[in-house]
Each structure stands twice: as structure tokens, then as C-alpha cells.
Amino acid sequence: MQKEIMLSAATIKAEASRFGFYRCGLSKAEDVETAEADRYRTWLAQGCQADMNYLENHQDKRFSPQALMPGVRTIVSVALNYYPTRTLPTNSLQLAWYAYGRDYHDVMKSKLNNLLQALRDTLPTKQADTLQGRCFCDTAPVLERYWAQRSGLGWIGKNGQLIIPEAGSTFFLGELFLTLPADAYDIPQPARCGNCNRCIEACPTGALQAGRPIDARRCLSYLTIENRNEIPEWAAPRMGTCFYGCDRCQQACPHLRFARPTGEEAFRPNEALLQMSPADWFALTEEDYRRVFKGSAVKRAKYSGVVRNLQAVKPNLPPNSDKKTETQP
């Protein structure tokens, strides 16, 4: 009887590190735990997904890796750091850190595909074809934070973010589904938020409530990115000077003090973005939009959405805010 081929967990992690991933963990490709599936269904039933109807689709695949990729044996979860090397000037308009650089979907998928090929290369030539894989990054019905926690990367905090010990939550998550088993799997991380409620207290709209999952209908990230309607009157004053996304819940987290700037060149803000003044933003043309956000995830909101958001924050700007200052290191 031929011995089953097994992947080396140590090799997978070493290769993931070589491609720039901050953390990598492995899980068996088993069905999602019933309690987690029930929590997700309850969240949907309460309408907390707002009008993101795609989150209701393909629940069979969302809760069963085998339904998404028949034959999958191992789920590799990875985290890619995006903590900014430079931030926008304090007197400028702001946007979420994750949107500073190139679109993370493209960067992550490229790295995951390279990782898959590297793992094939570690196998004997005659066995390489036995390893099939699929790469995912926020583009398929995958419970990414669930698998990241199952794979030992961190725990899901009260702000709904995956928090990595001694690193914080400024990470993109991705998954590599593999058709071979590994010789070792990781242990899930326990939650470590304790009695801390700083993220809940920092949320400007009450989207976070103690003991409850995030309510997208009140979340500024949803309202400024996924939402295709007007910004609600009650939400606009709470946006402050941030016109795209909202980092306040993760910036309030005490674990963020351990974060270190990313070494990923693709996530560094370009000079066109850094040089934008409030006056530039409010005069933004579609050509400017394409130039400043070329290859950026901001295209999710489209030009019309960005202009809508800018108009919503305009009354929130302090006096003399059109003066430029040096960017912060």
C-alpha cells in the first residue's frame, strides 16, 4: 500500500515567511463548528449585514470547505501586515490605513499563488501534481477570521477584528486550500480581550455593543464603502475627517501598541495621496481619482462614492485645515 503524501507544516510556514507573510497557521479542513454557523445565521436574521446580500449566499460552501473545494484536506491561513510606514498629514482628510497602498486582493492572491507553486516544488516531480490548491482573499464564501483563529493566528476581538498576539489587527487575511494533509496542525488561540471595552467605547456610531456582533447598518466602514445610498444625516458628523472607512475600533485597541510598520512595498502610500490637501480633495475630478487611487482598493466605492463621502465630511473640517504639514513617520 502506497504511503500517503503529507505536507510539512514547518516547510509551509517557512515558505510563507519567505513570501512576506507575518504569520501562518494550519487547520484541518473540517466543517465549521455548529455554534459558529448558528451565530452567523443569527447575525443575518437580525439584518446586521445591511444590504450586503452576498453574505447570505452559498451558506453550504461557507460552512463546509469540502463544498467550496472538493478534496480539500488542509486550510493554510496567512496574515499580511499593512500597518502604515507613513500616515497622512494630521490636518488632511483621512482614509482607512488598509486603503493606503495597492489593492490587497491582488497582492495577497499573488503571494498565495507563489506559495502554492513553492509547495509543489518541494514535492518529488512525480508527486507534485497530487497537490491541488485554491487561493482566497475576501473574494469567496470563506469565514476568514474563523479559520485564522482555528489556525492559531490570533483571536477575534470585541471589535470583530482578528487580533494577533503582540502585533494587533492591522493584517489582511488569506487562505490556501490544499488537497493534501499536513503532518501537524495548529491550536486555536483563546480570546484575550478580558474586560477591555476600548473598541466599543471608541466606536462613534454604536455599531459595536457589548456581547453583540458588529452591526453593519451603523458601521462607518460599511456606510462609506459598501453602501450605495446617501450617507445618513446622523452618521455624517460622526465621520470626523475620515472619508473612507473607519479605523477607530482597532486604533483604540491596546494590542495595536505592538504593531510594526509593514515591509510590503505595495502597501506604502504613493506621493499623490500624501500630497492631497483638503482643497485638492474637494476639487477631486474623476481623472484625479484614477491617478491617486490607481490599483487601490478604494475603487470599491467608485468615484461617485468618494465624492459623496467627501461632501459628508466637509462640515466637520476645522478652520485653516487646508494648510499642508509634513507627513508623519
Side-chain angles (χ1 to χ4, degrees):
M1 185 175 177
Q2 188 175 5
K3 186 177 180 181
E4 184 175 39
I5 304 170
M6 299 191 78
L7 297 169
S8 163
T11 297
I12 294 173
K13 292 178 181 182
E15 290 295 314
S17 178
R18 183 165 70 89
F19 287 114
F21 292 115
Y22 179 85
R23 186 78 43 99
C24 172
L26 282 68
S27 298
K28 287 184 180 180
E30 301 171 330
D31 284 354
V32 170
E33 293 179 338
T34 301
E36 179 64 23
D38 288 345
R39 275 193 292 271
Y40 188 86
R41 292 189 183 100
T42 299
W43 182 76
L44 292 176
Q46 293 173 343
C48 293
Q49 76 279 24
D51 62 0
M52 295 182 285
N53 299 326
Y54 58 87
L55 295 174
E56 305 169 23
N57 301 333
H58 307 296
Q59 292 192 30
D60 57 332
K61 296 177 180 179
R62 200 176 296 276
F63 302 139
S64 174
Q66 289 290 338
L68 183 58
M69 181 186 171
V72 61
R73 301 286 296 279
T74 299
I75 295 177
V76 179
S77 290
V78 293
L80 188 59
N81 182 18
Y82 69 84
Y83 188 78
T85 54
R86 300 171 71 184
T87 57
L88 298 182
T90 54
N91 73 329
S92 178
L93 298 183
Q94 303 295 312
L95 66 158
W97 288 342
Y98 89 86
Y100 272 17
R102 278 181 49 205
D103 190 335
Y104 65 95
H105 300 91
D106 300 333
V107 178
M108 180 70 83
K109 284 210 167 181
S110 175
K111 288 180 178 290
L112 285 170
N113 278 309
N114 288 338
L115 176 58
L116 175 58
Q117 185 57 52
L119 296 179
R120 286 194 179 120
D121 291 342
T122 66
L123 297 174
T125 304
K126 292 182 180 180
Q127 298 176 344
D129 289 341
T130 63
L131 178 59
Q132 300 299 314
R134 287 188 65 184
C135 306
F136 302 104
C137 176
D138 198 22
T139 53
V142 178
L143 295 177
E144 295 191 310
R145 286 165 292 181
Y146 169 83
W147 289 112
Q149 183 173 26
R150 292 283 297 173
S151 300
L153 269 61
W155 73 94
I156 301 173
K158 294 179 181 179
N159 60 0
Q161 304 286 329
L162 185 90
I163 300 174
I164 296 179
E166 300 184 3
S169 60
T170 53
F171 293 90
F172 298 121
L173 301 178
E175 300 77 39
L176 181 56
F177 281 29
L178 300 173
T179 54
L180 291 179
D183 60 6
Y185 293 100
D186 292 287
I187 300 172
Q189 288 271 350
R192 302 184 189 180
C193 291
N195 294 322
C196 179
N197 290 308
R198 292 186 192 179
C199 60
I200 294 172
E201 295 163 358
C203 180
T205 61
L208 297 174
Q209 298 287 336
R212 297 181 60 186
I214 188 169
D215 187 340
R217 294 167 295 189
R218 299 193 64 82
C219 178
L220 291 179
S221 286
Y222 161 75
L223 289 170
T224 58
I225 301 172
E226 296 288 335
N227 169 40
R228 294 294 178 257
N229 299 311
E230 293 302 312
I231 300 295
E233 289 185 11
W234 58 265
R238 293 170 170 82
M239 291 170 64
T241 60
C242 187
F243 69 89
Y244 185 90
C246 177
D247 283 331
R248 275 171 268 192
C249 65
Q250 70 175 353
Q251 289 175 352
C253 178
H255 294 280
L256 190 69
R257 71 184 186 273
F258 299 114
R260 295 294 179 268
T262 180
E264 179 54 57
E265 193 68 29
F267 296 151
R268 298 180 187 275
N270 62 45
E271 286 301 319
L273 176 63
L274 291 168
Q275 296 302 319
M276 292 289 287
S277 69
D280 294 330
W281 284 119
F282 293 123
L284 189 74
T285 65
E286 194 158 0
E287 183 179 347
D288 294 331
Y289 166 80
R290 292 196 186 100
R291 174 177 55 86
V292 174
F293 294 120
K294 183 179 180 180
S296 164
V298 174
K299 65 178 179 287
R300 181 73 176 176
K302 302 182 180 178
Y303 171 68
S304 58
V306 170
V307 170
R308 173 202 63 185
N309 297 346
L310 288 167
Q311 292 305 309
V313 301
K314 193 171 186 178
N316 302 337
L317 263 65
N320 302 318
S321 60
D322 57 340
K323 292 182 180 180
K324 291 188 178 183
T325 61
E326 293 296 320
T327 57
Q328 301 301 308

